[in-house]
Amino acid sequence: MSLLECLVGIALCALLLNPLLKTSADLVIKQIEYEKSQALISEADRAFELIGRAIRMAGYRNIQTAQIPIQKSGQKIRQQKSDDSFLRVEKRSGFRGSDSLIIRHELSAGTDFDCIGNALTQDRTKNNLAMQGFLVDYQAGIPKGKKVNGGSLICQSLDRQGRIQNTTLMNGVNSLLIEELSPSQAQHLSASRLFKIKLQMTDGAKLNLDLERTFSTRNLL
């Protein structure tokens, strides 16, 4: 076989193999993107579960503590609090204009947990109310000027001294948006308040996933 024939053979092989190699490379890239997307969706599902559980707990009143004694008259009256003291949304207060959510509720007769899985006890309440909060903040420990993989979803709760403590739940959150739906949009849940929670998850590069869930309160009208 002459040198020319060898070169022609190599050229033909390259022409035949190039599409296959390109297809294989594209498949690998797509597989990596799929795995990243699934990981981000899994993280978002965990966040939705925690936020939804907190919304359902908002305004919970333990019947055993719903009566407050008044020393002057010796009578007992039900403690009055507005819905805003039990569930408050602060618009555009966090990372890249993200919203934040503050939930308060009394403790049940069973075992209650905060958003990071710690048991809630009476010494972790303030004015007899436990607190859970969610917000997005800049990732801690990132050097200035370095590109970040979105922000961090922060869980807030009270410590044993009644002070707010912040714990990072996950990274890769671009934004958290909270919208209360109008009564006309929540006709099928007219006895509850309905909130649409939107999360944008990112890998800091190509992937930006917009996910949303809707949750209703159980203890607030």
Side-chain angles (χ1 to χ4, degrees), residues 116-140:
I116 56 174
N118 293 328
L120 292 171
T121 54
Q122 193 61 42
D123 57 357
R124 296 187 61 202
T125 65
K126 189 173 183 179
N127 297 326
N128 204 40
L129 295 175
M131 189 209 82
Q132 297 186 65
F134 299 90
L135 59 94
V136 181
D137 204 352
Y138 289 92
Q139 290 188 35

Side-chain angles (χ1 to χ4, degrees), residues 143-164:
K144 186 176 180 180
K146 183 177 180 180
K147 186 176 180 181
V148 297
N149 174 23
S152 298
L153 182 64
I154 304 296
C155 159
Q156 292 185 319
S157 58
L158 299 177
D159 63 15
R160 295 184 184 278
Q161 286 72 44
R163 299 170 303 194
I164 295 177

Side-chain angles (χ1 to χ4, degrees), residues 10-220:
I10 292 172
L12 290 173
C13 288
L15 289 174
L16 292 173
L17 290 176
N18 186 59
L20 295 176
L21 293 174
K22 185 178 185 304
T23 300
S24 298
D26 290 342
L27 286 175
V28 171
I29 292 172
K30 292 294 184 183
Q31 179 65 25
I32 293 173
E33 289 182 355
Y34 174 78
E35 292 176 357
K36 286 184 176 181
S37 296
Q38 291 303 112
L40 292 175
I41 291 172
S42 178
E43 289 282 80
D45 285 341
R46 183 164 70 96
F48 283 132
E49 180 181 353
L50 296 172
I51 294 172
R53 185 180 69 183
I55 289 175
R56 290 190 290 270
M57 281 293 293
Y60 171 79
R61 304 297 302 277
N62 189 322
I63 192 171
Q64 296 178 351
T65 59
Q67 299 291 331
I68 306 296
I70 297 186
Q71 296 179 354
K72 289 184 178 180
S73 63
Q75 297 177 348
K76 294 182 178 181
I77 65 171
R78 185 177 178 85
Q79 184 181 16
Q80 299 295 323
K81 290 184 180 291
S82 67
D83 284 357
D84 289 341
S85 67
F86 290 122
L87 190 155
R88 187 173 77 252
V89 176
E90 296 182 355
K91 304 297 290 184
R92 303 187 63 83
S93 58
F95 178 77
R96 293 179 179 170
S98 293
D99 302 332
S100 62
L101 177 68
I102 299 294
I103 299 289
R104 290 184 174 84
H105 59 85
E106 292 186 357
L107 300 181
S108 69
T111 302
D112 299 316
F113 298 94
D114 65 9
C115 39
I116 56 174
N118 293 328
L120 292 171
T121 54
Q122 193 61 42
D123 57 357
R124 296 187 61 202
T125 65
K126 189 173 183 179
N127 297 326
N128 204 40
L129 295 175
M131 189 209 82
Q132 297 186 65
F134 299 90
L135 59 94
V136 181
D137 204 352
Y138 289 92
Q139 290 188 35
I142 300 296
K144 186 176 180 180
K146 183 177 180 180
K147 186 176 180 181
V148 297
N149 174 23
S152 298
L153 182 64
I154 304 296
C155 159
Q156 292 185 319
S157 58
L158 299 177
D159 63 15
R160 295 184 184 278
Q161 286 72 44
R163 299 170 303 194
I164 295 177
Q165 59 181 8
N166 294 334
T167 305
T168 298
L169 286 175
M170 63 190 69
N171 297 320
V173 182
N174 247 353
S175 68
L176 167 65
L177 300 177
I178 304 166
E179 175 189 359
E180 182 169 7
L181 302 182
S182 64
S184 61
Q185 295 173 286
Q187 288 179 352
H188 64 295
L189 292 169
S190 57
S192 304
R193 294 172 64 184
L194 202 62
F195 292 87
K196 181 185 290 185
I197 311 297
K198 298 181 180 179
L199 279 173
Q200 185 181 80
M201 307 295 293
T202 181
D203 68 343
K206 294 177 62 177
L207 293 178
N208 290 287
L209 304 180
D210 294 311
L211 306 166
E212 67 178 49
R213 301 285 189 279
T214 302
F215 302 100
S216 63
T217 61
R218 291 180 177 175
N219 307 291
L220 299 177

